[in-house]
Amino acid sequence: MKEKVRDTFNQMANAYEHSVDSDNLYNAEYERPAMMERVPENLTGKKVLDAGCAAGWYTLQLMKRGAEVVAIDMSPEMAEAAKRRVEDHAQVLCLDLEEALPFEDESFDFILSSLTLHYLKDWEGTFTEFHRVLKPGGSFLFSVHHPLTDIRLLDSPEYFSTELIIDEWKKDGKMFKVPFYRRPLNEILNRTLAHFELVQVVEPLPTEAFRERDPERFERLMKEPNFLIVDAKKKTVIS
C-alpha cells in the first residue's frame, strides 16, 4: 500500500506542481481557504512542520507568514517539486510519516498536515511522533477526506471499520488509481483526543469563487461536505 501511494504521487507530481493550485477547485477554493483561516497571520519566530507537503503550496504560504518551515513528503518527486517552489528558503525532506521522525523533542511550534493522513492506515505512531516533536501548547491543524463522503465509493461499506478505497482521479488529462483509507468519525476524533486537545472541528464551505466557476458542485458541497478539518493543540498528559 505504502509503495502504491508513493508511486501514484510520484506520477501526479507534475500536475500538483503546475495545475492543482488553479485548476482544482476542491483545493484552491474549498480546503485551502478554510485551512488558512486557522493559520496565524504572523508566524515570525515560529518553527512549522508541513507534514505531507506535496508540491509545497502550504510551505510557501507558511514562509510568507514568517515561519521557519520544514516540509516533508514520502514522494521523492513531490519533494523535488516543493524544493523548486521554495528554493533554499525552507528545508524539504523526503520522509515517511509512518516512521520515526528525525527531529528532536519539542522542536516545532506548529504542525500542519493537509489532505495527507487518509493515506495512512494507522495514525497511532504518527500522532505519537507529532506529539513528541511539538512544543508544549503547540498547534496541530489537519484536513482529511470526510468519512461520510468517501463511504459512497464503496460497494459494501462498513462505516465503523477503517476501509481501503481505490478511487480514480483525473490529472492533466490522465486517469490515476489513488488508494486511501476511510475511517469513521469517532476514530478520527478519538485518535486525535488521545494525544491532543480539540480546539475546533470544521466542515468547510466552498468560496464564492467556487460558486462562480462551478455552480453545480458548489451546491453539492453546500449540502454535503467533502473534507473535514481538525484544529488541535498539544496535550500535556497523554491519555
Side-chain angles (χ1 to χ4, degrees):
M1 171 63 182
K2 186 184 299 185
E3 291 73 19
K4 176 60 177 175
V5 171
R6 182 185 294 112
D7 292 345
T8 300
F9 279 90
N10 278 339
Q11 295 173 44
M12 294 195 296
N14 183 72
Y16 273 75
E17 183 175 5
H18 296 109
S19 61
V20 165
D21 295 348
S22 57
D23 294 351
N24 191 319
L25 293 179
Y26 285 88
N27 288 85
E29 299 298 341
Y30 182 47
E31 189 261 359
R32 290 176 178 176
M35 285 282 279
M36 291 304 295
E37 280 185 14
R38 285 150 189 88
V39 176
E41 289 288 339
N42 186 357
L43 290 170
T44 302
K46 303 297 184 181
K47 189 171 182 180
V48 180
L49 179 65
D50 185 357
C53 66
W57 187 88
Y58 276 101
T59 308
L60 182 60
Q61 308 315 308
L62 295 165
M63 288 166 44
K64 288 180 177 179
R65 296 193 178 188
E68 175 189 349
V69 186
V70 178
I72 60 177
D73 201 280
M74 72 176 299
S75 161
E77 294 299 327
M78 285 290 193
E80 289 301 316
K83 288 178 182 178
R84 286 190 288 272
R85 188 189 294 260
V86 302
E87 298 177 334
D88 60 351
H89 301 295
Q91 184 180 13
V92 181
L93 304 171
C94 186
L95 295 175
D96 185 347
L97 285 174
E98 293 182 295
E99 304 292 339
L101 297 173
F103 309 120
E104 294 184 359
D105 295 355
E106 300 181 356
S107 52
F108 291 95
D109 298 281
F110 184 28
I111 296 175
L112 182 148
S113 184
S114 167
L115 300 177
T116 296
L117 295 172
H118 41 256
Y119 300 110
L120 311 181
K121 185 175 183 180
D122 183 7
W123 288 3
E124 178 58 28
T126 303
F127 279 23
T128 297
E129 281 293 276
F130 284 171
H131 184 276
R132 179 184 67 80
V133 302
L134 262 183
K135 294 178 182 179
S139 298
F140 175 34
L141 177 68
F142 70 89
S143 61
V144 290
H145 292 176
H146 198 289
L148 295 181
T149 298
D150 283 346
I151 201 167
R152 298 177 184 180
L153 300 172
L154 295 164
D155 293 329
S156 300
E158 297 181 7
Y159 176 79
F160 292 104
S161 299
T162 295
E163 303 173 285
L164 176 64
I165 294 174
I166 310 293
D167 198 9
E168 288 195 345
W169 296 1
K170 187 175 183 179
K171 303 285 185 185
D172 285 349
K174 301 176 183 178
M175 298 302 297
F176 297 92
K177 292 185 180 296
V178 182
F180 52 85
Y181 292 96
R182 187 213 62 82
R183 68 197 77 224
L185 181 62
N186 76 82
E187 173 67 15
I188 293 172
L189 298 182
N190 289 333
R191 185 60 56 197
T192 304
L193 283 167
H195 298 271
F196 304 94
E197 297 178 11
L198 287 180
V199 175
Q200 190 174 22
V201 176
V202 179
E203 291 170 311
L205 297 175
T207 65
E208 285 301 311
F210 197 122
R211 184 206 296 266
E212 293 171 4
R213 293 175 61 182
D214 195 328
E216 182 177 344
R217 287 195 293 173
F218 175 90
E219 292 301 327
R220 189 185 311 154
L221 287 173
M222 292 299 291
K223 296 176 182 177
E224 53 188 53
N226 208 77
F227 298 141
L228 182 73
I229 294 173
V230 176
D231 190 353
K233 65 179 181 179
K234 181 172 179 173
K235 288 177 68 170
T236 55
V237 178
I238 298 179
S239 59

